[in-house]
Amino acid sequence: MPLPVAPLAAYLFLLFWSAVPFAPAEPVLLAGGAFAGAGGLLLPFAILAATTGSVASDLAKYALGRAAGPALLRRIARRRAGARAVTWIESRLAASGPMVIAPSYFVPFGVVASTIACGALRMRLRGVVLGSAVGALIWATVCLGLGFLGATVTGDPWFGFALAVPAAVVVGLLARRRVAPERAGQPDACACEPTPLRREPEHHEGPCPLAA
């Protein structure tokens, strides 16, 4: 089945959709990978487009974090998954710094929380770009690669997409358990509000502002 648009338009769509902050890009990437598997796109170019767009999205969230990071983190933490992501990010920022962005791509709300937290803590832009680029490249390769494999197996981009969706869910769950394993029987910790005037996060012993 031929690609419904020109290849250049498809690459630009992958780039711009991945660059939209807070937009779910995984379905678009799976579809792009499926059409790459059917011969409509070149997989390396599709990965490059999605990675570039995702880094741009991360930098936009980093800028939002510099402007209003604590308030945004409190809003994210209102959801159970968001609270877990903020807790997970806060517990690793001291050791990993902005490189925490890379594994956060595989934690629900993780990349949102990590980039906003890095902005709120005024972490260096160079480190944020590096962490974002590593995470975005792995994420884009996995998503597009699953679509590519699905189309290669089925011989049809739409059937390949349908096969890639459940495969992506399984891979996402496995990656989440690997990166952020659940702590059975323990209550959710509270992620502390970052201090915008500090370059590095500090350890908090008392109650967290996000618990209020």
Side-chain angles (χ1 to χ4, degrees):
M1 182 180 294
L3 190 70
V5 297
L8 178 59
Y11 294 131
L12 290 176
F13 182 75
L14 285 171
L15 190 154
F16 285 117
W17 187 264
S18 300
V20 177
F22 315 114
E26 287 84 358
V28 174
L29 267 62
L30 292 173
F35 276 101
L41 296 173
L42 294 176
L43 185 61
F45 287 175
I47 291 173
L48 176 62
T51 300
T52 302
S54 184
V55 171
S57 175
D58 289 348
L59 293 180
K61 294 190 286 284
Y62 170 77
L64 287 174
R66 290 182 68 92
L72 290 173
L73 290 176
R74 282 195 296 269
R75 293 191 64 178
I76 294 171
R78 290 174 186 172
R79 299 185 180 186
R80 184 175 180 84
R84 288 179 175 175
V86 173
T87 299
W88 185 84
I89 295 300
E90 195 272 342
S91 68
R92 287 160 177 78
L93 270 172
S96 302
M99 282 305 295
V100 75
I101 296 173
S104 74
Y105 265 85
F106 297 95
V107 176
F109 292 96
V111 71
V112 175
S114 63
T115 49
I116 289 175
C118 287
L121 293 166
R122 303 295 198 268
M123 291 193 169
R124 292 183 179 180
L125 182 60
R126 181 175 59 183
V128 172
V129 171
L130 178 59
S132 173
V134 172
L137 178 60
I138 296 172
W139 169 78
T141 301
V142 169
C143 291
L144 285 158
L146 287 173
F148 184 90
L149 290 175
T152 301
V153 169
T154 62
D156 181 274
W158 296 115
F159 285 134
F161 173 77
L163 182 64
V165 169
V169 172
V170 172
V171 170
L173 290 174
L174 292 174
R176 176 185 173 184
R177 290 179 65 85
R178 177 70 176 176
V179 172
E182 297 287 346
R183 295 182 179 182
Q186 295 185 13
D188 288 339
C190 168
C192 299
E193 178 180 323
T195 306
L197 297 180
R198 296 182 181 272
R199 292 185 178 274
E200 298 294 336
E202 61 182 8
H203 183 69
H204 297 266
E205 297 293 345
C208 301
L210 289 177

